[in-house]
Amino acid sequence: ADIDCPGPDEAFVTSCSGSESHHPNEESFDDSDLVDEVLDDLKKKSGASAANNNEFGDSTEDGAPSIQQLKQTTKKLIQRYYDPLPRPGKCAIGTLCGFTASRLSLGVANRIFRLAGATWVLSEMLHTSGFCDDEKCVPEEARPWIGILRKALIKRCVKVRMLARRIWDQDRIREIAQKDEMVAGGFATGAFIGFVI
């Protein structure tokens, strides 16, 4: 038995098998057309959002802001909010920044010192007790890696020391302090309070 299917202007039926189920004047619709249309829309939207993200500079592939963009944004914010402040306001901001930086650096230094101390005590205890010496703990094929790791650690320590010398260069600190004495004085006061408390 042939089922009577509705025409183009009649109510929709989900299943029909008659000769009227495919009308000759209807456009055939392919699923790949829909997929292509959605992909095109996504490309257009991502292109527009990438153009909006690049207002201050380049961004990385995943849309995260780059270092250059963060520097420019920070500079604009400083020019907008910090530069118009009076000298006591700048001193107060410097004090707050100095206090925060000293507390953060003390917390990090304290954790590093405790970790290094605990590691040293543990290694000395294991070595003295004989539980872990080179022959027992380190297999023969892994011994060359210990030397490689030791050299890599020494190189990292040298890089950190050079970075610290570049950051804490006396001439550079003097130059920064002479640009804005109130900020430098406030920063030193806040750091002192943070180290003492």
Side-chain angles (χ1 to χ4, degrees), residues 12-192:
F12 179 74
V13 177
T14 57
S15 65
C16 44
S17 60
S19 61
E20 296 178 358
S21 61
H22 297 291
H23 297 282
N25 59 354
E26 277 187 17
E27 233 180 81
S28 65
F29 186 75
D30 190 13
D31 288 341
S32 64
D33 292 339
L34 179 63
V35 172
D36 292 339
E37 184 178 336
V38 170
L39 289 176
D40 288 341
D41 285 345
L42 284 176
K43 286 179 186 176
K44 288 177 187 175
K45 287 180 184 178
S46 67
S49 67
N52 291 338
N53 285 342
N54 283 333
E55 177 183 351
F56 295 110
D58 295 335
S59 62
T60 56
E61 291 179 9
D62 61 351
S66 67
I67 298 297
Q68 184 70 19
Q69 183 179 2
L70 289 175
K71 284 181 182 178
Q72 289 177 352
T73 305
T74 304
K75 187 176 180 180
K76 284 186 177 187
L77 288 174
I78 287 172
Q79 288 173 348
R80 183 183 299 164
Y81 296 111
Y82 178 76
D83 287 346
L85 287 176
R87 289 172 58 91
K90 290 180 179 181
C91 182
I93 297 235
T95 304
L96 182 66
C97 290
F99 180 79
T100 304
S102 67
R103 297 308 295 170
L104 287 174
S105 63
L106 276 177
V108 170
N110 186 16
R111 284 184 176 81
I112 289 172
F113 182 74
R114 287 192 299 181
L115 179 65
T119 304
W120 180 74
V121 167
L122 180 66
S123 66
E124 285 298 314
M125 188 229 15
L126 290 174
H127 183 71
T128 305
S129 68
F131 182 74
C132 186
D133 54 0
D134 289 343
E135 289 80 25
K136 290 181 182 177
C137 285
V138 182
E140 188 68 36
E141 54 274 354
R143 288 187 187 154
W145 288 102
I146 292 177
I148 293 170
L149 289 174
R150 187 175 293 144
K151 288 178 185 176
L153 181 63
I154 290 170
K155 284 182 182 178
R156 286 287 176 200
C157 290
V158 168
K159 285 183 181 180
V160 168
R161 190 176 75 208
M162 296 304 291
L163 179 66
R165 283 186 181 172
R166 195 171 357 136
I167 291 172
W168 301 113
D169 182 28
Q170 289 182 359
D171 295 333
R172 183 172 176 264
I173 292 173
R174 190 174 295 117
E175 179 185 331
I176 291 171
Q178 287 173 352
K179 280 184 184 175
D180 200 348
E181 294 101 10
M182 293 302 287
V183 175
F187 189 86
T189 304
F192 177 77

